[in-house]
Amino acid sequence: MTDTAAAADLLDELTLMPYGPAHRERATQVVAIAQERGDKGLEFDARMRLTDEGAMRGVADLALANFAWCAAAYKDDASLVTGDATRAQSFFWQHKWMPGILTGSPAFDRTQIDAVLDDMEATFRDAGLGLSAVASARFETATSLGDLADAERLGEDLESLPRDDYSSCEACIPAGYVDLELLRRDGAAAAQIAISAWREHQVCAHEPETMLARTLVAMLESGRLEDAAEAFDFVCRSSRTEPDKLLNMALAAQFASLTGHHDLALDLVERHVGWLAHDALHERAHFTAALAFAVVLERYVACGGSADAVVRASADPALAAVLPAVDEPRTVADLGRELWALGEGLAQRFDERGGNDLYAREVAWARALVERSWEVPLTQEVFAPVSIRRAAPTTTQEWFAAAVAANVAYAGIDAIEAATHVLASADAHPVQRLRAAAIRAQHAGAMGDMATVEASHEAYMESANVLGEATVRLAAIVASEAGPAELAAAATEHADAVPSTRARALVRSANESIDLQLRSEEGMTEEAFAWAMERLDEAEVIVAPDAVAGLDEEIVQDAAFARYAVLATRGTLLGRIGAHEDAIAVFAAAEAALPGRAVTASVAGMRAKVREAAQDPVGAGAEHDRAATEFAAAGFGGTAAFAAFESGRCAILAGDAERAAARFDYGAGLWGTSEPLPFAVRWDYAQALLATGEADRARELAESVLEHELAQPQTSPGSLAQTRVFLAQCMAESGDQGAGEQYAAAARLFVEDGAVHAGAEASLRAAQFWCGRYQADLALPELVYMESLLEREPEQFLTLALLDLRAECMADADDPAWREVLQAARAHGASLDDRDPELRFLLRVSDWLRLIDEYAVAAGVLADAAPLARGLEEDFIWVEVQARLASVLFELEDTTGADAALAAVRGRAGELDADVREYAAERGAGVLSDWGRDDEEEAWWELFED
């Protein structure tokens, strides 16, 4: 949409966009356009859209600033509003939100709140409006401020007032009385009101989920446990992706804790604690959330959880707006203390404004809640392995164990740190120094730190020298470029060397021989595999417990480490040749060889790879879950994150987007914000998020993937095209007008890559996006480009889609030639050998024809679709066609034809499958209800229920 667009078109564009960053940006642009044009009405409407978003999405300063402008403009020139019924409805309705925003923060005193209420009443009186909305605002303000007597009086007054056009909705009114009952400390009454409103499907932007969240504990206290569990699920489903519903998710976390689901409760804290930074002025929600989260954390420790467990996402820099800034994630104990302090500080500020102790009593109630509990089964799956902050080692033995664990966990920085401590310890055993030097060299090399690698090799040889001549000679060969055969021979020749060094030489010879064989022209052979396995057999004998019995304790421990390496290598090689069950069995022995969480986790990761090779993504995902759990418990958060990412990838392969998103969320929480997520992870994560309805988050990741690809000169046009298509999908779901441009850009890239039909499909998507937003001026030229592609490489189904969309766009642009194009599309569809695409084409055409009131043409299309659906035995579609046909004919006042369309369905009632019968019952009854045929509707239900 260009800056020269008409005001109505600009407002239509905003109306089609969902709230979010894209909407705010475009609305702000429209404000600037209006100011440049001097169009005060357009600016007024655009600012009202910004006010709507601020109020509905918890951006209080946005709502206050834009409403203040509109209110001042109205006082300056009332005709701006009084001359436009739609504008008036929105403007007067928005008055209702302002007192609530002000009471939500102690930054606004009672004088300011009273002034806003008085101004609202004066405005409504001057405009000749009813005062129900004013009464609601005063009632809700009194309950929020803790003025019980005023709240009770105003609640009675509100009930006596007649409803008018600005009365609160059927969900908001009971929400106000829920707050009143909670102020009275009558939780049972509050719960009853909330549950009744919910069961009666009274819905608005934040209800009934908010009143249900506020009464979850009341439901427990009044014994309504089944209602509470069901309400908890509803609250989570309704609130989990919207930061302005922080209060709801915090109270849900508290409920999970109180009902004994501590892992779920902690997971909900980790997922949503970052929302404390969402809206600086929504401090009432911050207060409630801080207390609820603090209850969860204190109960977590009291019920057996570790106080040193790390809370993912608690180091988010944005939290510095409400909590002290930190460089690393907080522990459960630390975050709990800070949240209690935050809640108590807010309580003091609110009570100072209110002149009472309402909020101090809320703090005391929350403190007492820590000691309470109920048993309520919940169905929500949780993936929230607890990550522990490792205690710093203090002895050489502890540092050596830490180096081994970090090595197994692929935690390079930790491994280098621990190994360095061992090498610096005067009391380290030579074999510990030998192994520490090898570990440090390995990880330093992976990081490209060649100076540390060289120093580690020197330390390695010094340690070997202490262990005897045989070990020195073997160590020199191991440190060289020796090949598999030479390594194996050296291990045999130097029988007096340290057992673990001999075993590792054989392990390396086995691994390198397999790698060389796989890179050869002949590939893997039975003889080559057998040779490698023989080397591992030798190694296993060398470090067997009986073989090292009686040696120094440190040598025995290092032999166990080497035995683990032997068995892990054996299992990995068996997995590579498809001996999956044998590999799994060997991994069990590897886990037993070296007890410890890091080993358990690492072995689980190995099993996962074998199960994935066996085409078992579900089993592989479960193994990655275990790996993530054990790595996190061992304090290796980075490795746990990678395991979670792998589990998420497996879940995508298994088609379980919800499971995938949960794993990616967990891993991302551990990963933190200091570095971007790995490129491949961002792509998979974005796919999972889009599939679970979180388009805004998916879009951010997709944009980062595209940015990464654009920075790589070797990225192919086809890869860029696929990324742009995915980004366009995310943008389309989140209402971003740029989606069409991304689809169009992808089309050109596909063509550049030689994929003409893929380019045509992307071009079609661009045109569909623009046409769906009534932007025929963009859609029609894109269809011309698509047509040029199909002239190069014809494709009959894409041609049908092209003609269909062109007709729709032309109709939208009031081009009468659309009828000719539609006729050409119908003729093309009828010529297809496959009739199913034609049927679906006719259904789609009937949709847009009805939208432009072309009922006669729609009736003809549907009349052709009915026998086609019947012939294809598509009973669901046939029922839908007949219902649409009846509705269209009713519009044309052809009751005989409409009755005949429904009679056709009625006549087949007995032969339709049960699921089709149910659908037919709903659709037919819906049509009859729409046209006021209530008696026939009842008979219709009875017919299909028999």
Side-chain angles (χ1 to χ4, degrees):
M1 188 71 67
T2 65
D3 289 355
T4 60
D9 291 334
L10 288 168
L11 293 173
D12 284 345
E13 179 186 352
L14 289 177
T15 302
L16 288 168
M17 297 177 72
Y19 297 136
H23 174 266
R24 288 198 293 275
E25 180 181 359
R26 187 56 178 157
T28 302
Q29 290 172 355
V30 173
V31 168
I33 292 169
Q35 290 172 340
E36 185 177 342
R37 295 179 183 177
D39 187 339
K40 205 162 188 177
L42 176 59
E43 182 174 0
F44 197 103
D45 291 332
R47 286 186 179 278
M48 283 201 299
R49 285 289 300 181
L50 288 167
T51 303
D52 284 344
E53 173 159 358
M56 292 295 100
R57 289 295 179 266
V59 191
D61 55 348
L62 183 72
L64 290 173
N66 284 282
F67 179 79
W69 186 95
C70 291
Y74 171 71
K75 284 180 169 56
D76 184 55
D77 181 5
S79 66
L80 271 173
V81 172
T82 56
D84 186 321
T86 301
R87 186 178 294 160
Q89 176 70 27
S90 296
F91 173 65
F92 290 120
W93 189 271
Q94 288 179 349
H95 279 74
K96 296 147 55 78
W97 300 330
M98 298 304 120
I101 292 175
L102 268 58
T103 58
S105 171
F108 302 101
D109 60 33
R110 299 191 76 144
T111 301
Q112 291 171 298
I113 296 168
D114 289 341
V116 166
L117 288 167
D118 291 344
D119 182 73
M120 177 182 177
E121 181 169 347
T123 300
F124 273 57
R125 287 187 183 279
D126 290 346
L129 304 176
L131 296 180
S132 173
V134 177
S136 291
R138 291 192 181 280
F139 168 52
E140 291 163 9
T141 298
T143 57
S144 295
L145 294 173
D147 297 336
L148 179 57
D150 284 348
E152 290 178 328
R153 174 180 56 79
L154 291 165
E156 291 176 0
D157 291 347
L158 177 61
E159 288 179 329
S160 67
L161 285 175
R163 289 186 60 79
D164 56 53
D165 290 342
Y166 298 99
S167 296
S168 293
C169 70
E170 293 182 349
C172 289
I173 287 178
Y177 287 99
V178 164
D179 289 343
L180 175 61
E181 297 301 342
L182 290 174
L183 187 60
R184 287 170 168 164
R185 296 294 174 182
D186 189 345
Q192 178 58 44
I193 295 170
I195 292 170
S196 296
W198 173 38
R199 300 298 187 195
E200 293 169 10
H201 305 290
Q202 295 172 356
V203 178
C204 79
H206 290 83
E207 301 295 352
E209 56 267 30
T210 299
M211 63 176 124
L212 289 172
R214 288 176 54 75
T215 55
L216 284 171
V217 174
M219 293 180 206
L220 295 174
E221 292 176 325
S222 57
R224 305 185 69 158
L225 304 188
E226 291 185 4
D227 285 331
E230 190 178 347
F232 167 80
D233 285 337
F234 180 84
V235 169
C236 290
R237 287 196 310 272
S238 304
S239 310
R240 66 187 180 90
T241 63
E242 300 179 35
D244 59 303
K245 294 181 179 179
L246 161 69
L247 179 146
N248 298 359
M249 293 311 303
L251 293 174
Q254 177 179 270
F255 177 86
S257 174
L258 293 172
T259 54
H261 304 276
H262 301 292
D263 287 345
L264 172 59
L266 181 59
D267 180 55
L268 290 173
V269 171
E270 291 178 320
R271 287 173 178 271
H272 302 293
V273 68
W275 288 3
L276 282 166
H278 173 64
D279 185 352
L281 291 177
H282 202 1
E283 292 179 284
R284 182 166 53 198
H286 295 172
F287 167 77
T288 301
L291 295 186
F293 287 153
V295 168
V296 170
L297 298 174
E298 189 164 332
R299 283 181 52 78
Y300 181 83
V301 176
C303 295
S306 172
D308 292 325
V310 174
V311 182
R312 292 177 290 125
S314 63
D316 185 341
L319 281 173
V322 290
L323 297 174
V326 294
D327 295 327
E328 60 180 353
R330 295 164 165 89
T331 64
V332 165
D334 290 342
L335 182 59
R337 283 191 294 271
E338 291 179 6
L339 288 170
W340 281 120
L342 173 63
E344 289 168 348
L346 286 169
Q348 182 176 354
R349 291 175 58 211
F350 272 111
D351 284 345
E352 286 175 356
R353 181 187 69 181
N356 52 38
D357 64 348
L358 173 66
Y359 286 81
R361 284 186 283 121
E362 290 290 334
V363 173
W365 181 79
R367 292 262 186 204
L369 206 56
V370 172
E371 304 297 327
R372 306 185 69 186
S373 63
W374 291 263
E375 290 188 11
V376 178
L378 299 177
T379 58
Q380 281 202 20
E381 180 197 0
V382 59
F383 181 74
V386 175
S387 183
I388 301 297
R389 184 172 295 167
R390 299 191 306 278
T394 57
T395 66
T396 299
Q397 184 60 35
E398 289 176 354
W399 277 114
F400 181 73
V404 170
N407 184 66
V408 170
Y410 318 108
I413 294 176
D414 293 333
I416 290 172
E417 179 189 11
T420 300
H421 273 278
V422 173
L423 291 171
S425 299
D427 62 341
H429 189 281
V431 79
Q432 291 179 325
R433 292 175 58 80
L434 184 78
R435 191 58 43 224
I439 288 172
R440 191 173 71 168
Q442 174 190 342
H443 292 284
M447 297 177 185
D449 183 357
M450 302 317 296
T452 300
V453 171
E454 185 176 346
S456 299
H457 278 316
E458 290 178 3
Y460 182 80
M461 294 309 298
E462 288 174 4
S463 301
N465 191 53
V466 177
L467 291 166
E469 185 177 348
T471 301
V472 172
R473 290 179 178 177
L474 180 56
I477 295 171
V478 170
S480 71
E481 300 294 328
E486 186 179 354
L487 285 168
T492 302
E493 179 183 349
H494 298 92
D496 292 336
V498 171
S500 58
T501 302
R502 296 179 63 203
R504 285 189 173 85
L506 290 164
V507 168
R508 183 174 145 194
S509 72
N511 271 324
E512 291 187 2
S513 69
I514 291 295
D515 288 340
L516 288 169
Q517 193 66 41
L518 287 172
R519 289 198 297 268
S520 69
E521 291 185 3
E522 62 180 336
M524 178 62 68
T525 64
E526 289 185 12
E527 293 79 5
F529 187 79
W531 189 90
M533 284 298 175
E534 288 170 4
R535 304 293 77 74
L536 294 176
D537 290 342
E538 293 175 30
E540 194 168 351
V541 170
I542 290 170
V543 290
D546 291 345
V548 297
L551 299 178
D552 290 354
E553 180 182 352
E554 292 83 0
I555 294 177
V556 172
Q557 289 175 344
D558 196 40
F561 184 18
R563 188 160 58 252
Y564 159 76
V566 171
L567 293 167
T569 301
R570 185 190 298 278
T572 299
L573 295 182
L574 287 168
R576 290 174 75 172
I577 65 166
H580 301 132
E581 293 305 318
D582 291 342
I584 297 295
V586 171
F587 286 142
E591 186 175 352
L594 190 67
R597 286 190 181 276
V599 168
T600 297
S602 184
V603 170
M606 296 176 198
R607 283 197 301 267
K609 293 186 182 303
V610 170
R611 295 194 188 282
E612 192 172 347
Q615 306 300 310
D616 179 14
V618 174
E623 296 286 8
H624 283 307
D625 281 353
R626 186 180 182 193
T629 299
E630 296 296 334
F631 277 132
F636 296 109
T639 318
F642 274 112
F645 295 150
E646 285 295 290
S647 180
R649 184 180 55 79
C650 288
I652 289 176
L653 292 174
D656 191 340
E658 289 282 352
R659 183 182 180 89
R663 272 66 186 166
F664 285 121
D665 280 344
Y666 173 79
L670 286 177
W671 191 266
T673 57
S674 58
E675 294 183 12
L677 292 171
F679 173 70
V681 170
R682 281 178 271 165
W683 178 255
D684 291 337
Y685 193 1
Q687 288 184 309
L689 289 174
L690 183 62
T692 53
E694 296 199 55
D696 286 337
R697 292 174 64 202
R699 172 190 165 169
E700 292 178 8
L701 288 167
E703 286 175 334
S704 75
V705 169
L706 180 60
E707 181 180 354
H708 174 88
E709 286 193 327
L710 289 171
Q712 308 300 316
Q714 70 274 22
T715 305
S716 70
S719 179
L720 284 171
Q722 290 174 342
T723 302
R724 286 191 183 277
V725 165
F726 180 72
L727 175 57
Q729 291 171 332
C730 298
M731 296 172 79
E733 284 295 318
S734 61
D736 192 314
Q737 292 296 102
E741 295 173 6
Q742 292 295 337
Y743 278 129
R748 278 71 178 170
L749 287 165
F750 275 129
V751 174
E752 181 183 344
D753 204 46
V756 175
H757 286 165
E761 290 177 8
S763 183
L764 176 66
R765 289 192 184 189
Q768 287 172 331
F769 179 84
W770 283 319
C771 185
R773 281 151 182 77
Y774 309 107
Q775 293 177 285
D777 58 322
L778 297 176
L780 287 169
E782 188 64 24
L783 290 175
V784 172
Y785 174 72
M786 178 184 175
E787 185 175 33
S788 72
L789 299 181
L790 294 178
E791 288 172 355
R792 288 169 57 181
E793 292 188 18
E795 207 286 330
Q796 56 184 355
F797 300 121
L798 286 173
T799 298
L800 178 61
L802 165 67
L803 292 170
D804 169 20
L805 190 60
R806 176 172 284 165
E808 181 182 355
C809 289
M810 292 172 70
D812 179 45
D814 295 325
D815 184 341
W818 70 264
R819 297 176 187 275
E820 298 172 14
V821 176
L822 177 59
Q823 191 60 38
R826 294 186 64 180
H828 182 78
S831 71
L832 299 177
D833 294 332
D834 185 352
R835 307 308 301 279
D836 186 70
E838 180 191 4
L839 173 59
R840 297 177 193 282
F841 152 70
L842 293 173
L843 274 177
R844 211 194 80 79
V845 168
S846 73
D847 276 337
W848 64 260
L849 286 171
R850 289 186 298 161
L851 287 174
I852 62 173
D853 298 335
E854 287 287 346
Y855 298 112
V857 182
V861 168
L862 290 165
D864 288 347
L868 188 55
R870 186 73 186 275
L872 291 171
E873 298 182 351
E874 292 276 7
D875 284 342
F876 264 113
I877 296 179
W878 178 79
V879 167
E880 176 62 25
V881 168
Q882 294 296 134
R884 290 188 187 188
L885 180 58
S887 183
V888 166
L889 291 172
F890 275 130
E891 288 280 3
L892 294 170
E893 299 183 359
D894 182 357
T895 55
T896 302
D899 288 338
L902 292 174
V905 179
R906 188 184 302 114
R908 293 190 62 201
E911 65 184 78
L912 297 173
D913 291 340
D915 53 348
V916 183
R917 281 172 57 84
E918 181 179 352
Y919 183 66
E922 293 175 358
R923 282 296 280 123
V927 172
L928 292 168
S929 175
D930 289 343
W931 291 95
R933 297 183 142 191
D934 296 338
D935 293 341
E936 293 177 57
E937 178 190 356
E938 184 176 346
W940 183 276
W941 279 114
E942 291 175 357
L943 171 67
F944 281 90
E945 287 173 356
D946 292 340

